[in-house]
Every structure is written in C-alpha cells, then in structure tokens.
C-alpha cells in the first residue's frame, strides 16, 4: 500500500525536512518544526506523488486516498478536541499548497474551511464570539469562491466597500457581528448569482473541492510561467497541506505575521518582520491595513506610531524570538517564517529558507561562516553566481541631482531607470520592442510576474516589505520600491501623480530600491565598491577553485575593469576591434584596396605603430599575466564601406576612386561570410597581415618586459584552423618575425603559438594539430555554430520554438551543449593532451561566463575560462562551486 498522507503536529510528525520532494517544502518543514517541539497546528500532508498520479491518470486520485485522508483527519480532530462539520465544536482547516521549491503566490490557500450556515452558529457559540465566527465565514466564502469556484474576489470586496461606505466605516475590524452575518448572506447570493448554484454547504465537498483546486492550480498559467522562469520541471508536482485552523482574528490578544531571522534586504543579524493585531492569514501581505513592526528598534527606525509586537505582546514576542534562534540554528540558514497568535498563544505556520538580496546573501553567508554555523565551503555554495551580477553594476551617483517625486519602502535594492508602463502586458510588449521600462502598479499579483521579470524595476503604491512585489522583486534581483503611498495611479488614463507632477506612460523615472526614492527622469550612476563581504567571499573562492579565470578584452578600459574584478590574464584579445578607430580604418581600407602585396605592406606599415601601442597598453595593465592575442579573424569586406555615401567619403580620404572601391567590395562579397574567407585563411592568403600583427606583439612585449621588469609571455592565437598544415605555415612566419624582433632589439622572451578550436575538424584532428599548437582555446561560439550548422545571428528566429518544443533544453549559444559541442571539446582535450601532455587548454566563447558551462570545463579539466569583464567574478565563484562538485550531477 502506498502511503499518500503524512501527519504532523503535537510534537511529532511522520515526515522530516529532508522529505521535501515527497511532502513539498511547506509540508516537510511543518513536519520538521513539529519534531522540534515548536508549536504547529496539527494537520497532514497529501504527497506530491498524488499530484503526479492525478495528472498521469486523467485527473483521478489513487483509490485509497480518501480513506487515508479520513484517517489523518481523525487524528487532527482528536488533537484539537473538535470535529470536522460538527454542530457543537466544529473543526476548521486550512488547505494549503506546497511545492518542492517555494513558489510564492503561485498556489492558493483556502482558510477557515468547514464553515457552513450551521457550523458557523456552532463556532459562534463555542467561541462565544459571533463576530469572529461570521468574520471567519465571510473570509472563507470569499477565498473559497475565488480559489475553488472561480468567482473573483472583487465581487465580494465591492459588497464590503459599499457596506462600509454606507456605515461610514474605515476598517474591516469596525464591522459588527450582525453586519458580517448580513454580508455573508449577500456573499452567498452573489455566488449563487454568478454560478447558478448555491455555495457548497457540505464540508466534505468543501474539502475535496479545495484539494482539487490546489492540484489544479499546479497547471494554471501563472504557475507554468513561474516554473518556466525558474526552471522547475512540471513533473515535480505540488503537495497539499490540510491543517487545523488557529485564529489571529479573535480579538486584540490575537495577531498574525511574517518574519525573517535576519534582515533579508541588508543581511544584518536582526529580527525583522511585520504583523497585524486581530487579523488573519494574508492580511499582512495583502496590504489592506498598514502592518506593524515586530521590534521596537524597527518601529523607531521607521518612526511609526503603531506599537511593535515587542512592546505590545512582550511574552509572545520573546517566544517567537526563541523560535527564530532555534530554527536558524537548526537549518543553518536564514529563515522566513509565518505565525499566528491566538489568544496570546503562539503558533508557527511555516518556515523556509528566506529569499534575500544578493547583498544580504553575501553578508549572511560570510557572517554565518564566521559564526561557525556553516563552513566556508557551504558559504560559497550559498551564493548563486549569476546573482553577483547585481553587485557589479552601477548604483545612483550620490552627487547627481535628484528630483524626488515620492518615497516608498526600500523593498529590493539597486537603481533602475526606464519608461513608465502601468501593466505587466505593456511591460512585456514595450521590452520586446527594445524599450527599458519601470513597471508601476498599485500592487502586484502573481499574474504580473512576466512583466516584472522584463522590467528594469518595479514601483508599487501599496503594500509592505513582505508584499508580493517586494518578495518577488528580491527573488528576481529587480530593484523595487513598494508602498509609495503618496503616488496616485490612474490605470485608465495611464498617468501617475505625485508631488504636484504628472508622469505619463512613456515618461522616464528612476527608482532607488535601496532608499525607496522615486525620481523624475534618468539619474546618473556610479561604479560599485568591491570590498567588504564581496571581497571576503571572493578570497575564499580563490582558495577553492582550480580553474583560472581570464577575460576577453581588447581595450585598456575593459582590461582594467577585468583586473579589478580579479581576472588572471586575457584569454581573448580580438585584434579586429582595434582597426575600427577612425584613424586606423583609413589605413586598413588602403590595405584592403591595394592592388598588390607591396601596396598592402605599405598600408600595414602605417598600422603597425597603432597596433604596437595597443599591445603595450594591454601588457602593461596585465603586469606579466598571460595575454592571448588572436590574429585577424573577420572577412576583409567587414572593413569596407557599405553605402554610396560612405564609399564617397573613403574615396575622398584615400584618393582611390569610387568605382575601384565598389569593384573591390563586390569582389570580396561572400554569400556566406561566416564560412568564408576569414580566420587563418586570411593569414594564408595575405601573410603580410599576420606578420605585421606578430611584429607589433613582439615589439610591444619586448618593450614592456624591458621597461617594467615583468616579463611578458605573449600567446599568439590563430583562428579558424582546420588542418595542421595551416597552423604550420603560419607558425613558421610568426617564429621568423619573432627572431627578427629579438635580434634587432637584443632581447629575448618566451612566447606560445596556439590555435582556436572552433571547427569540428580541428577538434577531431586535435592530436595532430597539437604537434604544432602549444595551446588550444575553445572558441565555443563558432564551434557551436559549426557543430549545429546554424548561424548565431540567424538562430533567433527559431531557437525559441525549439526550446518550447523541448528540442533544445537551452539556447546552445548561452549554455554549452554538453552532448554535442561538449563531446567535441572532450575529444579535442584528450587527443591534444595525448600528443602534448602539458598543452594549455582554455575556453573563450560566451560560455566562459556561464556557470553551467564552467562546471563542464572543470569536468573536462581545462586550465582556464575566459569571459567578459563583468562576468569575471561570476566565473570565479562558479569555478569554485564546480570544484566543490556543483553541477556535477547534471554532467552524468
Ligand atoms: P503561501 O504559500 O502563499 O504563503 P500559506 O499556505 O502559507 O500560503 O498560507 C498563507 C497564510 O494563511 C499563512 O501565512 C497563514 O497566515 C495563513 N494560514 C494558513 N494556514 C493556517 C492555519 N492552519 N491557521 C491559521 N492561519 C493559517
Ligand atoms: Mg498565497
Ligand atoms: Mg506562506
């Protein structure tokens, strides 16, 4: 018999934290907290296997599920001294979803289930509090109707708003028992009107309806979108938790709240959270009332006059604080917890690893390692490499002028500027057209995540630090200002008003998620500081990793940036970029247009001093670190003018007539340039080009070595090699030039000549090519193009469809295709090493900065990866994680 249902509560549980695959995150942690003796309302978890079964079997449950649920429910009833559907002491339950990975806001929870026209009376009598009973009933009708029956909540909100207006009431808490009773009647009428059948009165129908809705919601659009954005497989399924209700809405000795064991925004080790007195469930996150601070310190910091929990319920607060310490020490990680206080008794309803900003993640990881709670290795594994990106980018220049429109809560740090849009759909549409947008909403809901994902930043006018917008933005690393209450948003007119100004759709604003400021226009930014926790973690990272990290750079600025980020050399210096400078392109074109070798050499001689200076600059910045220079790679026609007007300009500058230029351009035209006359094929046909480049490299190396005393060891890289013979011919010329330079300058230094492996033939013939090549650098952009036989520039039109149809798991230009391109790399590495055991191996494609691809490089045993400057820290961290075994399982 399969066990489909696991009970928890009252100090014991059938499940454990490490059973999250089966019980979902919420269920596993409810079980764990029960086992730890933390007060958790009793309940049971229906496993994720039931969800999988359900979808595999045409939306049918396993035959013995009902029986197991009834058994577990009986245990809950005994624990609570109440009975489901009972007319004297009715048990109420919540039905809560809980997937393996936390999916905030994705799945809907139903509270107060088990109420009907009769049990509500029983509850009123048993609690001696009719107001509470009817308040719970109206909540239940609204939630159940919305989540299970598909009657949207605005129907009910309108009824309530109208009623409050009639009576001149502000708060829900001011509504009396009799009024709730009357409103319940109107709610039920509304449901009947919308559905053509009455609100279900049978508590078993209610229960199974809710369970079905949770499983159903696993396949709703927003859950599917969330899974797609977070790479969560559909077959994981969700669990369902059925749990006895505890009530935060029974009076002023009751409350409900959300808290974090440390500050999720800064990482500071301080108790952090919000709560509401006499409230239930999602009232805190829904932003209906302004939440109160947990601690006195936080209340003072916010200069709020609403009392903190520490002041208003000191004993329960102390108990909650003890749970905080216990859970954090137990899980060895920052926790995000949900709790309810019923008549001064604390109940924990959820704990999970808390979402945090990267800044907080770094601080928490480093602090916890120092506190001895985790090891340094664990600290390294805690940071997602990609997420570092947020820290490396600019923040608002404190000296820049800011025209402040409004202030909200600093919900997710970082600065963002963009054009204002007022809906998630508009955000997606505008971004698709190439615009940068800031999404402005009164509040966000799970339907908005697509738009939130593409926006530069998110601004809401309602909701607190734990509102949907805040939580999701922090998770995505999007800057967010929440609850900017002084801003008036008019969705219809597409305009926001603040500080006496109007901002229309398309106008630019800037938000600062670190301070909560909202500003008119675009505010300039400054470079980030790379000290503190970041520097500490990076030090630890560097002691663990064995892959070196170099950068792809050709300008001094890029090289300097990369050094600052910890690059250990240049893995790819593309020399063609150096010729586009207005002064040089003239000589370059002269060279291309010259009728013979003599003419070409004359033009190249003019380029030589520029090229030499380029290398001098780079070698100086790199201070003796290795620099790999790739000789000219693109086809020559890329340097020629394209339009008539440009041709006329060139004619004027060079003294060559337009007709000649046109003729030469036509002559050089190729139908498939990617596979045409480029790479070493240029060096073979025009040896003088590579000779000039080699001369510039050696002369620069000699000069810098001599002057600085730090010996430069240049690595000269030949692109697009397919045969050993090509390399041999070119290497011979390079060696000759080296000899000439060394003799002339009376100075010698070591250098390497190697090749890119970017053609399948080169990968297969690597054993032979390694007889001449002293290093290989895998040019995985071209290797991917040539292996798949598709051009990166043209793949856009179909790759997305291929991904949707599951043909490609990832875009192979972003994440290395391990099976195909990866196999070629593995073959080349192995054959290369067989010929030349100490051959240097690196990768210099886009993939050099992609964590999953870096894990592959570690496995194949490459010596280094090379990536763009801003990805260097990401690559360092990913390399350390790869050394610690991350990503290994997916390599199998
Ligand atoms: P989510 O996954 O969206 O956080 P939850 O299942 O945690 O949804 O439910 C949301 C809120 O509902 C909880 O934070 C809690 O305040 C309330 N809640 C859930 N179950 C109970 C319960 N058994 N008793 C009281 N409140 C509950
Ligand atoms: Mg929810
Ligand atoms: Mg929750």
């Amino acid at each position: 018999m399969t066990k489909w249902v696991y009970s928890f509560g009252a100090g014991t549980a059938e499940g454990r934290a490490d059973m999250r695959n089966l019980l979902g995150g919420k269920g596993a942690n409810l079980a764990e907290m029960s086992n730890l003796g933390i007060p958790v309302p009793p309940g049971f978890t229906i496993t994720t296997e039931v969800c999988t079964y359900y979808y595999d079997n045409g939306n049918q449950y396993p035959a013995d599920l009902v029986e197991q649920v009834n058994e577990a429910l009986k245990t809950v009833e005994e624990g609570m001294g109440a009975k489901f559907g009972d007319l004297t002491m009715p048990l109420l339950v919540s039905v809560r979803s809980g997937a393996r990975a936390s999916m905030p806001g994705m799945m809907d929870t139903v509270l107060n289930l088990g109420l009907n026209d009769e049990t509500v009376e029983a509850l009123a009598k048993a609690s001696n509090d009719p107001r509470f009973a009817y308040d719970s009933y109206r909540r239940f009708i609204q939630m159940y109707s919305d989540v299970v029956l598909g009657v949207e909540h605005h129907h009910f909100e309108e009824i309530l708003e109208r009623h409050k207006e009639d009576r001149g009431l502000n708060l829900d808490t001011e509504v009396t028992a009799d009024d709730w009773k009357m409103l319940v009647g109107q709610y039920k009428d509304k449901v009947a009107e919308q559905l053509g059948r009455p609100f279900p009165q049978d508590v078993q129908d209610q229960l199974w309806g809710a369970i079905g809705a949770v499983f159903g919601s696993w396949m709703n659009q927003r859950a599917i979108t969330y899974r797609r954005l977070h790479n969560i497989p559909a077959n994981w399924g969700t669990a369902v938790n059925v749990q006895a209700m505890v009530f935060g809405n029974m009076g002023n000795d009751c409350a409900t709240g959300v808290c974090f064991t440390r500050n999720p925004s800064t990482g500071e080790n301080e108790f952090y959270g919000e709560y509401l007195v006499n409230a239930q469930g999602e009232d805190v996150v829904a932003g209906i009332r302004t939440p109160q601070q947990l601690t006195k310190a936080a209340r003072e910091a916010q200069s709020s006059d609403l009392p903190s929990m520490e002041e208003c319920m000191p004993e329960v607060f102390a108990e909650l604080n003890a749970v905080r310490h216990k859970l954090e020490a137990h899980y060895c990680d920052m926790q995000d917890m949900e709790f309810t206080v019923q008549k001064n008794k604390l109940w924990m309803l959820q704990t999970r690893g808390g979402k945090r900003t990267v800044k907080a993640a770094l601080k928490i990881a480093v602090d916890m390692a120092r506190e001895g709670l985790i090891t340094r290795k664990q600290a390294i594994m805690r940071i997602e490499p990609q997420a570092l990106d947020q820290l490396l980018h600019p923040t608002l220049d404190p000296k820049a002028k800011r025209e402040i429109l409004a202030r909200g809560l600093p919900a997710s740090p970082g600065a963002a500027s963009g054009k204002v849009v007022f809906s998630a759909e508009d955000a997606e549409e505008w971004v698709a057209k190439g615009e940068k947008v800031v999404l402005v909403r009164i509040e966000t809901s799970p339907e908005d995540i697509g738009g939130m994902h593409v926006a530069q930043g998110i601004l809401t006018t309602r909701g607190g630090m734990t509102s949907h917008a805040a939580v999701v933005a922090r998770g995505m690393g999007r800057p967010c200002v929440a609850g900017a209450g002084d801003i008036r948003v008019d969705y219809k007119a597409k305009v926001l008003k603040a500080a006496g100004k109007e901002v229309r759709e398309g106008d630019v604003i800037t938000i600062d998620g670190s301070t909560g400021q909202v500003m008119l226009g675009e505010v300039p930014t400054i470079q980030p500081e790379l000290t503190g926790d970041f520097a500490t973690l990076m030090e630890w990272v560097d002691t663990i990793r064995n892959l070196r990290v170099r950068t792809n750079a050709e300008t001094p600025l890029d090289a300097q940036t990369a050094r600052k980020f910890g690059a250990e050399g240049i893995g790819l210096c593309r020399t063609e970029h150096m010729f586009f400078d207005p002064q040089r392109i003239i000589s370059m074109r002269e060279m291309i247009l010259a009728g013979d070798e003599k003419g070409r050499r004359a033009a190249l001689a003019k380029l030589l001093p520029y090229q030499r200076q380029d290398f001098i600059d780079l070698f100086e910045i790199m201070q003796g670190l290795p620099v790999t220079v790739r000789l000219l790679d693109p086809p020559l026609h890329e340097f020629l003018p394209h339009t008539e007007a440009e041709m006329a300009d060139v004619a004027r500058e060079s003294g060559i007539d337009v007709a000649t230029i046109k003729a030469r351009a036509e002559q050089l035209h190729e139908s498939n340039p990617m596979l045409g006359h480029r790479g070493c094929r240029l060096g073979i046909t025009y040896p003088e080009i590579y000779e000039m480049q080699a001369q510039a490299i050696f002369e620069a190396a000699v000069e810098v070595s001599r002057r600085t005393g730090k010996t430069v060891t240049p690595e000269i890289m030949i692109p697009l090699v397919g045969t050993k013979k090509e390399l041999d011919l070119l290497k011979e010329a390079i060696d000759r030039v080296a000899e000439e330079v060394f003799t002339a300058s009376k100075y010698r230094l070591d250098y390497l000549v190697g090749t890119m492996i970017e053609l399948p033939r080169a990968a297969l013939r690597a054993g032979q090519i390694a007889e001449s090549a002293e290093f290989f650098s895998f040019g995985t952009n071209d290797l991917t193009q040539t292996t798949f036989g598709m051009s990166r520039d043209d793949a856009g039109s179909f790759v997305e469809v291929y991904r949707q149809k599951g043909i490609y798991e990832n875009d192979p230009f972003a994440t290395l295709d391990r099976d195909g391109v990866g196999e070629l790399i593995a073959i080349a590495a192995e054959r290369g090493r067989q010929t030349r055991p100490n051959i240097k191996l690196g990768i210099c494609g886009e993939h050099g900065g992609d964590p999953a691809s870096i894990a592959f490089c570690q496995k194949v045993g490459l010596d280094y990866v090379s990536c763009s400057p801003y990805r260097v820290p990401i690559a360092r961290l990913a390399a350390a994680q790869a050394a610690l075994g991350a990503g290994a399982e997916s390599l199998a």
Side-chain angles (χ1 to χ4, degrees), residues 637-668:
H637 50 77
E638 281 196 11
F639 299 94
L640 287 185
H642 301 290
T643 63
E644 296 272 343
E646 281 174 334
M647 287 191 188
D649 282 348
V650 173
R652 211 173 318 112
E653 282 160 13
S654 61
I656 303 170
D657 60 291
V658 175
T660 313
I661 298 176
K662 253 193 193 158
R664 181 69 174 142
E666 261 158 44
Q667 189 189 8
L668 288 175

Side-chain angles (χ1 to χ4, degrees), residues 680-891:
C680 69
R681 297 161 194 169
L682 292 171
I684 298 287
T685 47
Y686 307 114
E688 55 279 4
I689 299 178
Y690 279 13
E691 284 169 24
M692 180 281 283
Q693 292 197 292
Q695 186 183 346
I697 294 168
F698 290 123
E699 287 177 355
V702 165
E703 183 181 328
V704 174
S705 302
R706 198 174 246 158
R707 179 147 44 81
T708 65
K710 288 196 174 143
T711 309
V712 180
T713 308
E715 301 177 356
I716 297 180
M717 180 155 80
I718 316 287
L720 214 72
V721 163
T723 67
K724 173 172 181 283
K725 195 82 193 166
E726 288 168 315
L727 180 60
D728 285 345
L729 275 173
L730 295 168
K731 185 170 188 305
E732 216 177 274
I734 291 166
D735 288 341
R736 179 165 35 79
V737 172
E739 245 344 281
E740 285 164 16
V741 173
F742 296 158
T743 311
S745 61
K746 302 195 180 64
Y747 193 97
R748 298 199 154 261
L749 42 80
D750 292 332
Y751 63 93
L752 304 177
V753 178
T755 174
M756 296 198 61
I757 301 286
E758 51 189 337
L759 296 176
R761 189 179 199 285
L764 296 172
R765 302 302 299 156
Q768 199 193 15
I769 292 172
E771 288 167 13
S772 309
E774 291 163 299
F775 66 86
F776 286 164
S777 178
F778 293 98
T780 49
N781 296 346
D782 272 344
L783 190 56
T784 300
Q785 298 200 93
T786 52
T787 301
F788 279 83
M790 68 186 183
S791 112
R792 182 169 58 159
D793 301 329
D794 301 317
S797 59
F798 55 86
V799 161
E800 210 26 59
V801 177
Y802 266 56
R803 285 189 60 187
Q804 278 162 16
K805 299 206 172 193
I807 302 171
Y808 297 161
E809 201 181 320
N810 300 300
D811 175 354
F813 293 109
T815 298
L816 191 80
D817 158 48
R818 290 177 176 181
D819 297 342
V821 178
E823 180 161 15
L824 283 170
I825 293 176
I827 289 171
E830 192 201 308
R831 295 186 184 169
R833 276 206 200 93
Q834 244 162 40
T835 304
R836 189 187 287 269
N838 65 347
I839 190 167
K840 249 198 211 188
L841 301 174
I843 178 176
C844 65
E846 257 352 88
H847 304 98
D850 169 61
S853 310
I854 290 170
F856 178 80
C857 296
Q858 167 86 19
K859 159 139 193 276
V860 182
L862 301 193
D863 299 301
Y864 69 88
V865 299
S866 188
C867 55
S868 62
Y870 275 95
R871 299 203 72 82
V872 165
I874 296 168
R876 285 161 74 195
L877 176 55
Q881 293 188 349
L884 292 171
E889 73 284 358
S890 48
L891 288 171

